Amino acid sequence: MSKAIHTITSSVVPLHNENVDTDQIIPARFLKATSRDGFGKNLFRDWRYENDNEATPKKDFVLNNPIYSGSILVAGKNFGCGSSREHAAWAIKDADFDVVVSSFFADIFKNNALNNFLLPVVVSDEFLNKIFEAVEKDPATTLTVNLEQQSITINSTGASEQFDINNYKKTCLLNGFDDIDYLLNIKPAIEAFEIERI
Amino acid sequence: MSKTLFDKIWEKHIVQEIDGGPSVLYIDKHLIHEVTSPQAFAGLDKRGIKVFRPKQIVATADHNVPTLNQHLPIKEELSRLQVDALTKNCANHGIELYGLGHPYQGIVHVIGPELGITQPGMTIVCGDSHTSTHGAFGSIAFGIGTSEVEMVMATQCLLQSKPKLMRINVEGELNKGVVSKDIVLYIISLISASGATGYAVEFAGSAIRSLSMEARMTICNMSIEMGARCGLIAPDETTFSYINGREFAPKGEAWENKLAYWKTLFSDADAVFDTEINIDAKDIQPMITYGTNPGMGIGVSQHIPAINEVDTKEKASYEKALQYMGLQAGANIKGQKVDYVFIGSCTNSRIEDLRMVASFVQGKQKASDVEVWVVPGSKQVEAQAIAEGLDKVFETAGFQLRQPGCSACLGMNEDKIPAGKYCISTSNRNFEGRQGPNARTLLASPLTAAVAAITGEVGDVREFI
């Protein structure tokens, strides 16, 4: 299920839209599963297909454009706003992305992504534009995201930026640990807290 | 040291702090529903563990349930399987379930408050972003993802970083025809759909204090639509008298003890916020959205921004939104034809909302080419509406009074708005496709929705009252 993240080098899928909400990432009518698998095929469903039909892909949508591929999704600001559905993070991960880059993420989405070993990388507006420009010039442009060093680099130009992540989450991602493991380990402290507050 | 309301509650729930990382936050109440819980239960089963504190969880079925013929088995197979999974999981883990047919069933954010489960000073979570609703009682309440649902089930705790704090003060008297939905749509239009991301927002000021609990819930409900982690309002006499006597409210001596504590829950006079915004109530008009995020709102009598009034950086998304909505930059929104009216959702489906609509609609008929759905927030709201005869008012007007659920707010069940149709909706999100593929949503108050139901178009309620 979960896997550690260290360094990822990949070409990117550029999604210029801002305020991409989780209803776009995975529409509510596809939330009726009881497992975490298989959401990737409905990722961006209504932007991807004409009349909700897989036989008629919308040609101008980036996921349908074969010149763009890779495990890094780059999107405009305020990515993941709206509904708390973790299915959005599952769908992106299930579509084989490991990193989402944006200049701003909605809170709940960011937590959901981290809990699924999908790394949200926050960059400046300027750096985001540099990525979009580089990819526009050459769709084969690759980025390298180094979690240990907290750096993101556009390999064709060498432009690089540092990104923030809290130390605890970084350790989790580097080692493949999740929050539940951590919390289960401190259960005696939780029980003591419950008794003390009565 | 002086403290904010948020600080006072937060500090009481910290089990541990992690160096350079989040805090271990204890959760008092966990609300669950059929859509975001099955994978969490499956996670527990996989680890071979049981729910840690089942008595602190309350479950209901709301997101995908039909709003007609709830006594029959759910026709849609996947929805039925999800509801069945919830029933089985709750039985297996000893969790109280108010499922379909139960007199307490309803939208999770409607039933928590009306049953007295939601109380001041609590930490409350649910796998639903509109959990912020419960903050109206002076609690820290926020939406979480399914992995976090699993964490709370397993340990009654979450790892959380403390958000920054914002206070939004709304002072003065509200204009005629302006209700709490207008206040919150106005705030979001001012600060944008991401204007409070990273913040917990306290709503304060005389205009907020003057509101009923139902109206306060509408405001806190939509704090997530400005990006906030949660919204909260200091509890006061209005809060206490709302809670007193409800099913799960403390009774007798326990009530007195709780009440004494609740009265300490307010931001101290010199408490410091990271950001503070002051709003004059008289600047707020009846509001409506014209775009595809809740920040794209205007007064119903104002025009949709012209292209040259839009920030250069925003132009691309602005044009995309208007194209989706089939609306013209610079045009008036008043007079826009609507096809559907949806009165419901965790934002505006409480008894006060239904009364507001009924009092406007009384003795009137809906426009002939408009379909109107009134979806009460809970079985209790439905029963109350019938007891007060509101069902007759709606029936006479040609409205459909349906059964409780999330319904057309997110179109997970059959209640979808057809492609290209305009729906004036008392819900909380006007995202592309939210109410159905290519559906066009105009968010507004129950009063403005009632005007549209009667006239068939967007109108200014002030011209009718």
Side-chain angles (χ1 to χ4, degrees):
Chain A
M1 162 185 123
S2 45
K3 58 175 204 287
I5 296 179
H6 294 277
T7 299
I8 290 162
T9 296
S10 169
S11 54
V12 313
V13 175
L15 184 65
H16 289 261
N17 307 45
E18 295 180 347
N19 297 311
V20 175
D21 60 75
T22 54
D23 276 80
Q24 305 317 316
I25 299 173
I26 181 94
R29 60 189 190 280
F30 299 110
L31 306 186
K32 293 179 182 175
T34 51
S35 82
R36 291 172 181 244
D37 311 316
F39 290 99
K41 67 176 190 293
N42 293 318
L43 176 66
F44 295 115
R45 175 84 189 192
D46 292 336
W47 284 350
R48 209 160 149 189
Y49 303 113
E50 217 61 78
N51 304 320
D52 203 10
N53 185 348
E54 283 160 46
T56 51
K58 292 184 183 174
K59 291 209 173 53
D60 58 348
F61 187 60
V62 66
L63 285 188
N64 296 329
N65 188 340
I67 67 168
Y68 299 110
S69 66
S71 63
I72 302 177
L73 179 67
V74 181
K77 70 164 191 248
N78 200 24
F79 187 84
C81 58
S83 155
S84 62
R85 62 189 67 164
E86 192 163 316
H87 313 67
W90 298 338
I92 295 171
K93 190 76 183 177
D94 191 50
D96 292 327
F97 291 102
D98 293 313
V99 177
V100 187
V101 179
S102 177
S103 55
F104 198 90
F105 288 95
D107 278 343
I108 304 179
F109 176 81
K110 197 198 246 177
N111 275 344
N112 288 341
L114 289 166
N115 284 331
N116 288 282
F117 295 84
L118 172 67
L119 179 63
V121 174
V122 184
V123 296
S124 64
D125 286 325
E126 294 73 35
F127 196 77
L128 186 68
N129 281 335
K130 281 185 193 169
I131 299 174
F132 282 137
E133 282 165 16
V135 176
E136 196 163 332
K137 222 193 261 173
D138 177 10
T141 298
T142 60
L143 301 183
T144 295
V145 175
N146 184 321
L147 177 58
E148 182 63 55
Q149 293 174 7
Q150 296 179 220
S151 68
I152 176 167
T153 308
I154 305 172
N155 294 317
S156 57
T157 64
S160 188
E161 195 169 89
Q162 296 297 118
F163 62 88
D164 279 342
I165 182 168
N166 84 45
N167 278 334
Y168 165 80
K169 267 296 168 195
K170 181 174 169 180
T171 310
C172 284
L173 293 178
L174 287 170
N175 296 290
F177 299 155
D178 66 24
D179 285 4
I180 300 190
D181 297 330
Y182 183 92
L183 289 169
L184 286 171
N185 278 329
I186 62 156
K187 231 166 170 180
I190 297 170
E191 284 167 320
F193 175 86
E194 285 180 318
I195 291 165
E196 201 177 302
R197 71 199 292 260
I198 291 168
Chain B
M1 205 186 103
S2 61
K3 287 178 184 170
T4 65
L5 166 62
F6 183 91
D7 288 326
K8 289 178 183 177
I9 305 169
W10 178 267
E11 285 167 9
K12 274 218 168 233
H13 290 84
I14 298 300
V15 178
Q16 273 186 12
E17 316 242 21
I18 302 173
D19 256 359
S23 302
V24 178
L25 186 72
Y26 190 81
I27 303 301
D28 295 316
K29 283 287 171 211
H30 186 191
L31 308 169
I32 63 171
H33 61 84
E34 75 279 19
V35 175
T36 58
S37 68
Q39 294 88 349
F41 281 113
L44 294 187
D45 292 347
K46 200 168 162 194
R47 287 170 199 264
I49 54 176
K50 291 299 236 186
V51 168
F52 180 50
R53 295 288 181 245
K55 298 279 174 264
Q56 286 168 246
I57 306 182
V58 175
T60 193
D62 58 0
H63 275 64
N64 73 25
V65 302
T67 55
L68 293 172
N69 295 318
Q70 287 185 348
H71 62 289
L72 298 177
I74 300 175
K75 272 194 241 159
E76 217 274 325
E77 192 194 358
L78 290 175
S79 296
R80 190 176 65 245
L81 288 176
Q82 243 179 5
V83 171
D84 288 350
L86 180 68
T87 308
K88 190 184 84 205
N89 284 326
C90 287
N92 187 19
H93 289 270
I95 295 166
E96 187 81 62
L97 167 66
Y98 303 134
L100 276 189
H102 193 286
Y104 293 166
Q105 180 266 339
I107 304 175
V108 64
H109 310 308
V110 175
I111 69 170
E114 77 183 3
L115 290 170
I117 293 167
T118 304
Q119 294 168 19
M122 282 182 165
T123 48
I124 301 173
V125 295
C126 173
D128 185 279
S129 60
H130 293 108
T131 307
S132 56
T133 311
H134 307 264
F137 291 79
S139 62
I140 294 179
F142 54 93
I144 55 177
T146 297
S147 294
E148 294 170 312
V149 169
E150 185 180 340
M151 283 171 217
V152 180
M153 284 177 174
T155 67
Q156 207 57 36
C157 287
L158 276 177
L159 291 167
Q160 287 288 305
S161 300
K162 194 177 163 193
K164 290 183 284 183
L165 301 180
M166 179 187 293
R167 180 160 62 186
I168 299 179
N169 303 297
V170 188
E171 294 288 352
E173 239 179 85
L174 292 172
N175 291 319
K176 191 176 78 164
V178 170
V179 294
S180 69
K181 181 66 162 285
D182 301 307
I183 300 177
V184 72
L185 284 174
Y186 178 79
I187 294 172
I188 303 168
S189 76
L190 216 60
I191 70 171
S192 91
S194 59
T197 303
Y199 287 90
V201 177
E202 181 178 342
F203 299 95
S206 58
I208 301 292
R209 282 196 303 277
S210 74
L211 299 175
S212 69
M213 286 316 297
E214 283 88 346
R216 293 179 190 187
M217 283 187 248
T218 301
I219 291 184
C220 288
N221 172 276
M222 288 192 74
S223 1
I224 182 68
E225 309 312 334
M226 52 191 96
R229 195 82 184 94
C230 63
L232 64 173
I233 294 173
D236 58 12
E237 286 307 322
T238 305
T239 322
F240 310 143
S241 65
Y242 177 97
I243 299 171
N244 197 2
R246 288 182 187 265
E247 178 81 29
F248 298 105
K251 308 274 171 358
E253 198 186 320
W255 169 262
E256 294 305 327
N257 292 337
K258 284 283 185 193
L259 191 62
Y261 169 57
W262 295 345
K263 287 181 174 175
T264 68
L265 297 175
F266 53 85
S267 289
D268 296 330
D270 46 357
V272 178
F273 291 80
D274 298 290
T275 302
E276 199 143 11
I277 295 173
N278 295 305
I279 289 170
D280 191 338
K282 74 172 185 304
D283 293 340
I284 308 174
Q285 302 175 33
M287 295 287 294
I288 191 155
T289 65
Y290 58 86
T292 55
N293 75 57
M296 301 175 88
I298 49 174
V300 286
S301 290
Q302 293 174 320
H303 67 265
I304 297 169
I307 285 291
N308 61 10
E309 292 171 306
V310 179
D311 192 298
T312 321
K313 278 199 273 182
E314 310 286 336
K315 258 180 196 159
S317 30
Y318 181 73
E319 283 174 338
K320 183 173 182 288
L322 284 196
Q323 191 189 6
Y324 179 86
M325 292 298 295
L327 297 172
Q328 298 301 318
N332 287 328
I333 190 91
K334 211 168 95 176
Q336 170 64 42
K337 290 282 295 167
V338 303
D339 307 292
Y340 285 79
V341 176
F342 172 60
I343 293 158
S345 89
C346 57
T347 313
N348 282 122
S349 65
R350 297 179 180 81
I351 189 65
E352 189 179 276
D353 301 310
L354 269 51
R355 284 181 191 140
M356 197 191 299
V357 173
S359 70
F360 182 84
V361 163
Q362 179 98 44
K364 299 188 181 84
Q365 281 286 316
K366 76 169 181 71
S368 58
D369 47 357
V370 174
E371 186 146 348
V372 187
W373 299 338
V374 181
V375 181
S378 69
K379 291 302 281 182
Q380 294 207 84
V381 171
E382 182 189 37
Q384 182 70 26
I386 292 170
E388 295 179 17
L390 307 187
D391 56 331
K392 296 284 182 296
V393 176
F394 296 140
E395 195 184 321
T396 309
F399 294 10
Q400 281 187 40
L401 178 62
R402 295 191 165 207
Q403 292 170 303
C406 298
S407 183
C409 171
L410 80 169
M412 256 197 98
N413 68 352
E414 302 81 354
D415 305 347
K416 292 181 178 64
I417 307 304
K421 298 292 182 192
Y422 289 92
C423 176
I424 196 159
S425 178
T426 66
S427 58
N428 40 59
R429 290 190 174 132
N430 50 356
F431 297 152
E432 284 181 32
R434 171 83 176 178
Q435 297 194 289
N438 290 310
R440 292 160 165 170
T441 305
L442 307 165
L443 300 175
S445 79
L447 270 182
T448 301
V451 170
I454 301 304
T455 64
E457 55 185 49
V458 175
D460 191 328
V461 67
R462 292 170 294 190
E463 294 166 15
F464 297 84
I465 52 176

